[in-house]
Amino acid sequence: MAAGRGGTGRGFVIEADGGSRGNPGPAGYGAVVRDAASGEVLRETAEFIGVATNNVAEYRGLIAGLRAAHELDPHASVHVRMDSKLVVEQMSGRWKIKHPDMRPLAAEAQRVFPPGSVTGYEWIPRAENKHADRLANEAMDAGRRGEQWSAAASTAELEAADERARAQARSETSGAALPRTAVSGRVREPAPAEPSAAADPVVPAPAAPAGDDAAETSAPQSGWGPDLGPPTTFVLLRHGETRLTPEKRFSGSGGTDPELSAAGWQQAHAAAELMAARGTLQGIVTSPMRRCRQTASAVAERTGLEVHVDEGLREADFGAWEGLTFAEVRERHPEDLERWLESTEVRPTGGGESFATVAERVAVARDRLLKQWAGRTVLLVTHVTPVKTFVRLALEAPPAALFRMELSAACLSVIAYYADGNASVRLLNDTSHLR
């Protein structure tokens, strides 16, 4: 199943993705065929496939992309790019395929082109696979409406290009370079990695992704694979309480920017004591908001580390909901709240930021910080939404996962990012230092 020599016809690059809203749940796939030399999109394909797992949808996307390329030129040389580590490793022959649902799909993908025509399978970060991801989501949206995906109605290519342009503009403003997505090349920024200062664990090399075929390597080695060097570890500290926290009021970046309460200062000092005792921190980065800067200052005082401010770590802007409780928002803006709960693309009443917008901002900040703090352990003092977003992105969980996490004031979470692009959530919502 490993890559071969290449065909005798044209050169294509296939970008494929699949997703499931529930895993298993309503699922769909998307795939793009590009000209390897110019990057021009030659074919798009997507389909809603009913209830399936993420891995099944990803394989179905691969098969559809290969078939689309074969229809264009059955003698082509094909290079496949996907953000599914599982599919890439299994199709490259480095991981065994044990799950019964995966074997026939992998065999079907292998039969599309003659041996040697597929020159390689390449893992890419999700941010570089936006076009296929958009197609998969369009297919799932169509399925929810009882329809099938339509190429004529698709806006995936335009949206992916627009998102890339906006991300590039943000990176140029911040001075951080985005990874290049040269279609015929392999140029990418090193992927993330993360250790845990709070739990002080032994940091293993990255494990294979969880799912239908988790950790199925053909030749298991110590720590699941070769030594990738020290991971980059983000220790995520939610700020201490403010006067709004116990009342469970919306408190984002569009409100009054409250300071820590007396209880919040106690929580900040407790976190600082733990960080000083562990002695593993090598840097502190904080949201610009007052409650975070105060929490970070407590840790800096105990550890002697300098505090850096990053705008990307600020809380979401909750618009007209700032300062209100959930019940008050439901009473005053019931329809807006219902739409907001149904989709992370929806903004709060009166403007503010959607969770999708926050995710884009946090992803840019993550990539920038990974580059700045490569191989080190850094404390990020931030808010509920950014912490949940870091965790969701690391797990490659669907956007709805944001509504299924609970984070207490001054809690600690830890993510380790490894050089091959794998991320490992090591700790979530730990409050043992507050007891």
Side-chain angles (χ1 to χ4, degrees):
M1 194 174 291
R5 298 179 304 278
T8 59
R10 301 166 65 186
F12 296 142
V13 170
I14 296 172
E15 296 168 358
D17 199 11
S20 171
R21 294 171 179 172
N23 199 30
Y29 66 73
V32 184
V33 181
R34 298 181 184 272
D35 181 87
S38 68
E40 177 189 358
V41 175
L42 304 175
R43 184 73 61 86
E44 292 177 313
T45 183
E47 184 182 4
F48 174 70
I49 60 174
V51 175
T53 65
N54 280 326
N55 294 153
V56 167
E58 289 164 346
Y59 261 109
R60 291 287 298 275
L62 168 63
I63 293 167
L66 288 168
R67 286 176 174 167
H70 189 270
E71 290 174 3
L72 291 169
D73 185 348
H75 305 292
S77 296
V78 177
H79 182 77
V80 178
R81 293 157 46 96
M82 299 181 69
D83 60 50
S84 171
K85 187 75 170 175
L86 178 82
V87 176
V88 167
E89 294 300 318
Q90 289 181 342
M91 291 302 296
S92 298
R94 291 186 290 269
W95 290 0
K96 291 180 180 178
I97 306 173
K98 295 182 179 179
H99 196 284
D101 290 345
M102 300 299 107
R103 290 197 200 102
L105 292 171
E108 186 176 354
Q110 192 180 18
R111 289 193 298 267
V112 176
F113 275 94
S117 295
V118 179
T119 60
Y121 287 86
E122 176 189 3
W123 178 88
I124 57 175
R126 175 160 293 185
E128 294 184 34
N129 203 28
K130 285 293 186 183
H131 192 161
D133 176 75
R134 295 277 187 183
L135 289 170
N137 277 284
E138 285 184 351
M140 287 184 277
D141 290 341
R144 185 174 57 186
R145 298 190 301 267
E147 305 170 358
Q148 276 297 337
W149 176 81
S150 166
S154 175
T155 60
E157 182 176 4
L158 292 174
E159 290 177 0
D162 181 64
E163 184 170 332
R164 180 74 189 174
R166 286 187 283 115
Q168 184 66 49
R170 287 194 299 269
S171 72
E172 290 172 355
T173 300
S174 65
L178 282 176
R180 286 184 280 164
T181 54
V183 173
S184 59
R186 314 280 194 277
V187 184
R188 296 194 307 276
E189 290 292 338
E194 3 167 283
S196 165
D200 202 20
V202 175
V203 180
D212 294 317
D213 255 319
E216 296 182 2
T217 57
S218 57
Q221 301 177 7
S222 175
W224 299 110
D227 182 11
L228 299 172
T232 304
T233 301
F234 288 172
V235 180
L236 304 166
L237 173 61
R238 185 192 171 191
H239 61 79
E241 287 185 7
T242 71
R243 60 179 179 80
L244 301 179
T245 308
E247 299 175 9
K248 296 187 180 299
R249 295 185 179 275
F250 283 93
S251 181
S253 56
T256 58
D257 195 12
E259 61 184 8
L260 293 179
S261 63
W265 275 111
Q266 290 179 350
Q267 293 164 342
H269 288 304
E273 290 299 323
L274 176 64
M275 295 296 100
R278 293 295 185 193
T280 53
L281 290 185
Q282 295 166 286
I284 302 173
V285 182
T286 181
S287 155
M289 306 197 72
R290 185 182 307 170
R291 52 196 181 272
C292 286
R293 287 189 286 107
Q294 290 175 330
T295 302
S297 71
V299 180
E301 184 178 354
R302 286 291 289 112
T303 60
L305 294 170
E306 182 181 356
V307 177
H308 304 269
V309 177
D310 193 302
E311 287 286 337
L313 299 181
R314 59 182 169 81
E315 180 58 286
D317 182 346
F318 292 113
W321 301 351
E322 294 280 0
L324 302 180
T325 65
F326 190 87
E328 289 170 341
V329 173
R330 185 179 291 281
E331 179 182 351
R332 301 181 193 184
H333 310 286
E335 294 181 357
D336 290 351
L337 179 62
E338 195 63 32
R339 285 193 292 268
W340 183 74
L341 292 172
E342 289 178 353
S343 172
T344 56
E345 300 282 347
V346 174
R347 296 188 300 171
T349 307
E353 292 178 290
S354 69
F355 282 154
T357 300
V358 175
E360 292 178 2
R361 165 162 58 82
V362 169
V364 171
R366 175 201 60 194
D367 294 346
R368 179 170 61 247
L369 292 170
L370 284 170
K371 185 175 182 180
Q372 292 173 352
W373 297 93
R376 292 178 285 177
T377 298
V378 58
L379 179 71
L380 306 185
V381 185
T382 182
H383 310 262
V384 168
T385 307
V387 173
K388 288 183 177 182
T389 301
F390 274 112
V391 173
R392 180 183 78 76
L393 294 175
L395 295 174
E396 298 188 353
L402 290 175
F403 299 109
R404 291 169 172 80
M405 284 183 264
E406 179 72 23
L407 295 176
S408 303
C411 70
L412 287 164
S413 302
V414 178
I415 306 175
Y417 298 90
Y418 295 91
D420 68 346
N422 275 317
S424 174
V425 176
R426 311 302 304 277
L427 194 68
L428 180 67
N429 193 35
D430 178 33
T431 57
S432 59
H433 54 288
L434 304 178
R435 302 181 191 129

